[in-house]
Amino acid sequence: MKLVIIDLSNQTEIKILNTTVKKYLQIHSAYYLTIPEEANPVDACVKKLKSVGLLNIPVIIIPPREIMHYQNFHFPIIPDKEIRKIIPREISKYTDSKEEIIFDVKTGATVIEKNEKKKEVMVYYIKKKELWDLLEQFKKQRIRTLKVVPEVFCLESFIQKNILSTYKQEANGVVIIDMMTTKINMNIFNRSTWSLNREFPFKMDASATMGDRDFSRISTEFSRTFQYFKQKNKNVSIDEAFLFGSNPEITVLDRFINDNQPVGSSLISQVDPIEKIDYPPNLKNREEFNAIFFVAIAAANSFIEKNCVDLYPKEYIEKEKLPKQIIFFTVLGILLVAVLFFFTSFYLEQKNEYQADRKKIEKEFNILQAQMDRIDA
């Protein structure tokens, strides 16, 4: 199946993959867009898709970080249907907003909490209005959205399949770092379960080489974030950091973490996000490609998986079906009226012909009767 993956997680650095997804991922082409903060990222995507002839291919969207929310719960051992019913109420305890949310869940392991078995449930949610606004922008351009996959789910899947299963099986705390042009985004996981997110600027001049002040800021923010994680997750240490992103100085940050932080660090591009990828034939630097398009590649992989988290709302599917249903029933109604008109006209025509024939026969009969009466007389 042909799919376009649109990574909007960082709205100033958009990644687009043109793919075919079967049992493995085939990447035909990729596009990296940098846009100003005040620009509309969807407009930039549409313009690019139009220029390369990809407007008619369905898309998977990775939503912007700014509108995504995550929460990890420990619920009693009850059916998943019952858990879904109580999630909106539980989410309302963590937000002041009364707006309706769209959510999906991933059920984790059974944990022991105060001598009681609990079910670990990761909730990915977004305000309904913000999600619908995003989908409507694509719909107006006649772009069909198949799935909405959260960035954090992609990272969790990567940790589970490519780190804990093979690369670093003993890792407990794992931090995945997106090194952008002037900012760093960190997601920290207790094994493959998301725990917290932190984003901070580390330099003012995007064109300048990293200096002591930048490294000092990074070190301070890392220390604060790691300390907060340890407060939330008792007896869990952060063992490994994995880096991806578009910043060309990512290898410098990798060395800095290995030399100055109490964690091991690796470039995520050194660990393939998917076991088997058919890359574009003209690709010159596979590691750089994986570093930039890592999340989009992981999202494409999630499409292959049956248990993919998807925030595409069912009610929006029904909303999209409604105009088609209206058109269908309108056309059906017109056809029924036309058929009824045809049969009514046919009936009236036959009735008129019958009445005319009857009058003609009656007239001829009366003439014949008169002739018979004259003969008898």
Side-chain angles (χ1 to χ4, degrees):
M1 179 179 186
K2 289 188 175 181
L3 279 176
V4 169
I5 317 298
I6 301 177
D7 180 5
L8 295 173
S9 56
N10 175 9
Q11 295 189 82
T12 60
E13 299 178 18
I14 302 166
K15 296 94 176 178
I16 300 174
L17 287 182
N18 172 26
T19 72
T20 296
V21 177
K22 297 180 180 177
K23 291 183 179 180
Y24 64 93
L25 177 64
Q26 183 179 8
I27 302 174
H28 305 294
S29 55
Y31 309 96
Y32 171 66
L33 313 178
T34 57
I35 63 172
E37 290 187 4
E38 64 274 10
N40 185 320
V42 176
D43 289 345
C45 288
V46 171
K47 183 178 179 181
K48 187 63 182 179
L49 293 176
K50 186 176 182 179
S51 70
V52 294
L54 297 177
L55 278 179
N56 295 324
I57 299 178
V59 303
I60 292 177
I61 299 172
I62 303 165
R65 290 167 182 158
E66 290 81 0
I67 63 175
M68 278 305 311
H69 306 276
Y70 310 98
Q71 193 64 50
N72 192 23
F73 293 100
H74 290 169
F75 289 121
I77 306 298
I78 58 177
D80 289 349
K81 286 185 178 180
E82 297 302 315
I83 288 176
R84 284 182 173 271
K85 290 179 182 178
I86 64 176
I87 280 174
R89 185 189 67 206
E90 294 299 315
I91 292 294
S92 66
K93 298 176 183 179
Y94 293 88
T95 176
D96 295 330
S97 173
K98 301 299 180 183
E99 293 184 50
E100 188 177 351
I101 63 169
I102 302 295
F103 69 90
D104 200 1
V105 303
K106 185 186 74 173
T107 303
T110 300
V111 297
I112 304 298
E113 191 175 272
K114 296 180 180 179
N115 297 323
E116 183 181 353
K117 286 186 178 181
K118 295 288 185 73
K119 184 183 291 187
E120 189 174 61
V121 177
M122 181 67 188
V123 181
Y124 315 78
Y125 66 99
I126 187 172
K127 291 179 182 177
K128 180 178 178 179
K129 181 181 183 304
E130 293 177 330
L131 178 56
W132 280 47
D133 286 347
L134 180 64
L135 294 175
E136 282 294 310
Q137 290 185 65
F138 282 99
K139 183 182 176 183
K140 286 178 181 177
Q141 302 296 333
R142 297 184 179 181
I143 296 175
R144 185 162 67 98
T145 303
L146 281 186
K147 287 181 180 290
V148 178
V149 181
E151 177 190 26
V152 163
F153 172 75
C154 298
L155 303 183
E156 288 173 334
S157 298
F158 171 75
I159 293 172
Q160 186 66 45
K161 297 170 188 174
N162 297 82
I163 297 177
L164 297 181
S165 61
T166 55
Y167 192 72
K168 293 284 184 180
Q169 297 182 29
E170 71 281 4
N172 289 311
V174 175
V175 55
I176 297 187
I177 299 169
D178 180 6
M179 188 182 186
M180 298 168 279
T181 307
T182 60
K183 295 185 293 184
I184 284 176
N185 184 277
M186 306 167 63
N187 281 287
I188 306 183
F189 301 82
N190 183 350
R191 292 188 68 77
S192 63
T193 301
W194 180 86
S195 182
L196 65 92
N197 172 267
R198 174 87 173 103
E199 184 170 296
F200 60 90
F202 68 95
K203 66 177 181 177
M204 300 301 294
D205 186 354
S207 61
T209 303
M210 290 176 64
D212 291 341
R213 173 185 272 181
D214 302 322
F215 287 121
S216 177
R217 177 68 188 274
I218 291 171
S219 184
T220 300
E221 294 294 343
F222 276 21
S223 297
R224 289 174 179 171
T225 306
F226 291 172
Q227 184 177 2
Y228 181 68
F229 172 82
K230 290 177 181 178
Q231 289 174 353
K232 285 185 63 179
N233 301 270
K234 304 296 183 183
N235 302 320
V236 179
S237 61
I238 299 176
D239 301 314
E240 287 292 327
F242 292 90
L243 280 65
F244 73 97
S246 58
N247 196 310
E249 292 187 288
I250 191 170
T251 54
V252 178
L253 179 61
D254 179 48
R255 287 196 299 270
F256 173 78
I257 294 174
N258 275 312
D259 294 341
N260 297 277
Q261 297 295 320
V263 297
S265 177
S266 303
L267 298 179
I268 218 164
S269 56
Q270 296 170 348
V271 185
D272 282 345
I274 302 178
E275 291 182 3
K276 186 176 181 181
I277 304 175
D278 188 356
Y279 288 93
N282 59 346
L283 183 63
K284 295 179 180 179
N285 190 327
R286 177 168 161 175
E287 287 194 5
E288 181 183 4
F289 184 90
N290 278 354
I292 294 173
F293 294 97
F294 160 65
V295 176
I297 292 172
N301 184 40
S302 74
F303 185 81
I304 302 172
E305 301 297 323
K306 294 181 179 180
N307 298 321
C308 174
V309 167
D310 182 14
L311 293 172
Y312 193 84
K314 291 182 179 179
E315 53 264 50
Y316 194 84
I317 297 174
E318 297 302 320
K319 178 176 178 290
E320 286 192 311
K321 287 180 181 178
L322 186 59
K324 296 178 182 178
Q325 292 173 343
I326 292 173
I327 293 172
F328 171 77
F329 285 112
T330 300
V331 172
L332 181 62
I334 292 171
L335 288 173
L336 288 174
V337 170
V339 170
L340 182 62
F341 176 78
F342 171 78
F343 281 107
T344 302
S345 299
F346 179 77
Y347 167 76
L348 292 175
E349 183 180 351
Q350 293 296 312
K351 181 179 179 182
N352 291 336
E353 288 182 2
Y354 167 76
Q355 289 177 344
D357 289 342
R358 181 178 176 179
K359 288 180 180 179
K360 183 179 179 181
I361 293 172
E362 287 178 349
K363 183 178 179 180
E364 291 177 352
F365 177 79
N366 290 335
I367 294 172
L368 181 62
Q369 184 67 43
Q371 291 175 348
M372 295 287 292
D373 289 342
R374 283 198 299 272
I375 293 172
D376 291 340

